Amino acid sequence: MKIAAGSVTFPQGFLAQGVCAEIKRKNKMYLAIIYSPQPARAAAVYTTNKVRAACIDINRFHLEDGVAQAVVVNSGNANACTGEQGLADSIAMAELTGQCLQIRPQDVIVASTGVIGVYMPMDRIEDGITRAASALSRDGGHNAALALMTTDLVQKEAAVETEIGGKVVRIGGIAKGSGMIHPNMATMLAFITTDAAISSHCLKQMLRDSTDSSYNMISVDGDTSTNDMVVIMANGEAQNPLIDEVGSADYQLFKEALDLVNITLAKKIARDGEGATRLIEVQVLHAPSEDAARKIARTITTSNLTKAAVFGEDANWGRIFAAAGRAGVDFDPHRVDIYLGQEKMAVDGMGLLFDEERARQELKKATVVIKVDLKQGQAGAVAWGCDLSYDYIRINADYRT
Amino acid sequence: MKIAAGSVTFPQGFLAQGVCAEIKRKNKMYLAIIYSPQPARAAAVYTTNKVRAACIDINRFHLEDGVAQAVVVNSGNANACTGEQGLADSIAMAELTGQCLQIRPQDVIVASTGVIGVYMPMDRIEDGITRAASALSRDGGHNAALALMTTDLVQKEAAVETEIGGKVVRIGGIAKGSGMIHPNMATMLAFITTDAAISSHCLKQMLRDSTDSSYNMISVDGDTSTNDMVVIMANGEAQNPLIDEVGSADYQLFKEALDLVNITLAKKIARDGEGATRLIEVQVLHAPSEDAARKIARTITTSNLTKAAVFGEDANWGRIFAAAGRAGVDFDPHRVDIYLGQEKMAVDGMGLLFDEERARQELKKATVVIKVDLKQGQAGAVAWGCDLSYDYIRINADYRT
């Protein structure tokens, strides 16, 4: 397995493009299309928010047959809470994309991110679709990643190559996170492509599991979006022996590569969280169950007090410990050790006289590692978040107007 | 029922005092004692955090018989994560207070708030206890409220008078919240006194229920403390007919008064949240169940995106709606109306063309009211929170050092 430069056009047989659908300067919109001329097996996971954009429901319907050929995604407008008109607009996006690419509309996945409760400017969307579709290319993945960016500070791309059954198999992905001012909230979108040959049920299972240990383990501010979605398309062009048994050696090999792509993108999203100055990685070790480990790790990454302390380079392990304590998990606090990077801060639930300067050095790092060793089991989990800075407030105090 | 000026010394037969136990200027500590010469029925609710201060366990033990005569509380050090030494120090606080007041140590409730994982400076604590105990007075309630303040911006007191069985019954309370720089986290403490005659089991039940609709419905940042506690002492000096049946007319009458005291204190805590510039009141109406209403109301008060939007006076109802959607409650988003004060922002889950200026006026108020009408049931709930400002970051980015 090796990490490569590239994104959604790294695997064989995928084209992509991103364009600016800007008409008025004050309302920038971007549009991207990812396209596989070969029908691809596809799977997706969606936001669990009760308030969902129309595109989520449409994709569920379109993916019932497990096949897709294109993703069309716009920023600047989430097309959420827009009722019947919103539904019609999302369908129109799939139809126009299908028309341009000469494929069935039900093989098009639709994604949107941006302001909530405002109707889509369909003239601009249509213009964007037409232009993106006519400019699709084998090296357009980077442009698609840029189109997702809006005001994210860095583009989020990942590509990995592995070998399965003697064939080179590639996976590429692009994502957008929460470094955005225009969209209404921290919409998380990730689009993954692969030329692997893999059955629908394996793809679904694998995407769900891989999402659980990547995107579902990041948090910028605990808020989930109406439009979150992760989509994977596998077009089989690598011609590897079909992966069709969950848990088989090839399945595991491919999952390892997919996990790497997803975790890479997830960490890029967390690091580029609104106003973030540092990535926080929380490792929970020796927990009684994986569920317990996950809950504790995630609760720490969502603790405002912990996040603000990291921003201020304040080695406040008490906040970390207290966040663990409210995770809704049964554990014995008198056995817990806490580390900040290499520095041991607490042992058996009690503070140590630690070296303030070394602790501060750990907090100055671009990635701050917090380790919580429960010493009461064999399970573990890792979660990622970011610090809470003045810029988070600045960005979110007046985004809409 | 009438609201009065006063606090824990408003009810008959309670004395109190607060003193500064400052020795070095850089480590301010305050200490307060509340005392009833008559043994009082007492009840308490505690933090649900797995990581608990020693005093919590001691109080559980001391209140097994449902009787107490005094509360001793210090700020500046939480005495949490301090192991055997911490336990011994909390016991010593109860013992010295008992000695000074000539009562049994097990009739003393101990509370602490402040930095975690550091041993208590017992010389200063002892000095504070001795001085506070010797200065107890019938009008010392205000000083006790001030002693709880540390760097809260306003003291939190409430007093209510009602009539039960022809007798005047009084309730008073003081609380501390999260406007503090020294303590490690947003420790919430509330001490309630009353001269009502009420049985232990009624007092316990009522305190639990009243806490659920007051302190348990506020949020400053979603973090809970190792030391949170609400204590009530009832000394019976009002000589009303003993309230000893849950749900009886007198029980309800007294509960109404207790709720008013607790909700008043709770709102004062939320309004004085770290860095807060506004109180946010979230009303959820016509929900399928009270539990659903509570979850939705609380999720909105803890949404960083919503809190930052209120700080920025940005009428971003989409964030409110999306927070409701992730509350873990099953509801139909297509029937939901959302109001900002008097302004209707969304109907049936869709945005309205609202008056931006009027919406901004609602957001400029000292109390911002958000109303979410689910239109799918008969239950409701109210929760309180505060906005998220630059000052929250400033206060929490470098509190410890």
Side-chain angles (χ1 to χ4, degrees), chain A residues 153 220-221 271-278 280 303-304 306-312 386-397, chain B residues 304 308 311 388-394 396-397:
Chain A
L153 298 177
V220 169
D221 52 17
R271 187 186 293 281
D272 197 21
E274 285 172 328
T277 71
R278 287 175 192 77
I280 301 177
S303 158
N304 276 357
T306 300
K307 289 154 62 81
V310 170
F311 173 64
C386 58
D387 57 344
L388 179 60
S389 74
Y390 295 110
D391 274 355
Y392 179 86
I393 312 289
R394 185 185 55 72
I395 292 168
N396 284 297
Chain B
N304 276 357
F311 172 64
L388 179 60
S389 74
Y390 294 111
D391 274 357
Y392 179 86
I393 313 288
R394 185 185 55 72
N396 284 296

Side-chain angles (χ1 to χ4, degrees), chain A residues 49-50 81 119 184 223-224 303-305 308 312 314 316 319 322 325-326 330 333 349-350 356 390 394 396-397 400, chain B residues 49-50 81 119 184 223 303-305 308 312 314 316 319 322 325-326 330 333 349-350 356 390 394 396-397 400:
Chain A
N49 201 305
K50 278 278 153 196
C81 309
Y119 293 128
N184 211 327
D223 276 294
T224 60
S303 158
N304 276 357
L305 284 172
D314 177 15
N316 202 322
R319 293 183 179 175
R326 68 173 168 86
D330 195 29
M350 288 178 56
E356 287 279 354
Y390 295 110
R394 185 185 55 72
N396 284 297
R400 202 182 46 92
Chain B
N49 201 305
K50 278 278 153 196
C81 308
Y119 293 129
N184 211 327
D223 275 294
S303 157
N304 276 357
L305 284 171
D314 177 14
N316 202 324
R319 291 182 181 176
R326 69 173 166 88
D330 195 28
M350 285 177 58
E356 288 278 352
Y390 294 111
R394 185 185 55 72
N396 284 296
R400 200 183 49 92

Side-chain angles (χ1 to χ4, degrees), chain A residues 144-211:
Chain A
L146 293 177
L148 285 192
M149 272 182 69
T150 62
T151 55
D152 293 48
L153 298 177
V154 294
Q155 78 277 17
K156 292 154 191 89
E157 305 173 79
V160 163
E161 191 174 284
T162 187
E163 216 183 278
I164 294 176
K167 300 287 184 180
V168 170
V169 170
R170 290 171 161 190
I171 307 177
I174 59 176
K176 74 163 293 307
S178 46
M180 315 193 326
I181 293 174
H182 268 281
N184 211 327
M185 52 188 52
T187 298
M188 203 220 68
L189 299 174
F191 305 109
I192 314 296
T193 55
T194 177
D195 46 23
I198 181 169
S199 71
S200 273
H201 84 277
C202 281
L203 198 62
K204 276 184 198 164
Q205 179 68 45
M206 194 183 290
L207 183 65
R208 204 173 305 126
D209 292 346
S210 188
T211 298

Side-chain angles (χ1 to χ4, degrees), chain A residues 199-270:
Chain A
S199 71
S200 273
H201 84 277
C202 281
L203 198 62
K204 276 184 198 164
Q205 179 68 45
M206 194 183 290
L207 183 65
R208 204 173 305 126
D209 292 346
S210 188
T211 298
D212 272 346
S213 58
S214 56
Y215 308 108
N216 284 347
M217 292 306 279
I218 59 172
S219 168
V220 169
D221 52 17
D223 276 294
T224 60
S225 152
T226 53
N227 293 51
D228 292 339
M229 129 182 19
V230 181
V231 176
I232 185 167
M233 292 196 288
N235 66 8
E237 296 208 7
Q239 301 192 303
N240 59 292
L242 181 74
I243 301 168
D244 71 350
E245 192 193 333
V246 174
S248 66
D250 283 355
Y251 181 96
Q252 293 302 351
L253 212 55
F254 184 66
K255 178 161 190 299
E256 211 176 304
L258 180 63
D259 283 348
L260 182 57
V261 168
N262 284 333
I263 287 174
T264 303
L265 291 173
K267 286 166 74 171
K268 287 187 179 185
I269 292 170

Side-chain angles (χ1 to χ4, degrees), chain B residues 94-117:
Chain B
E95 280 175 348
L96 180 59
T97 306
Q99 223 167 49
C100 292
L101 304 175
Q102 296 186 287
I103 59 174
R104 302 183 316 159
Q106 50 266 55
D107 288 339
V108 179
I109 308 291
V110 181
S112 297
T113 172
V115 70
I116 282 184

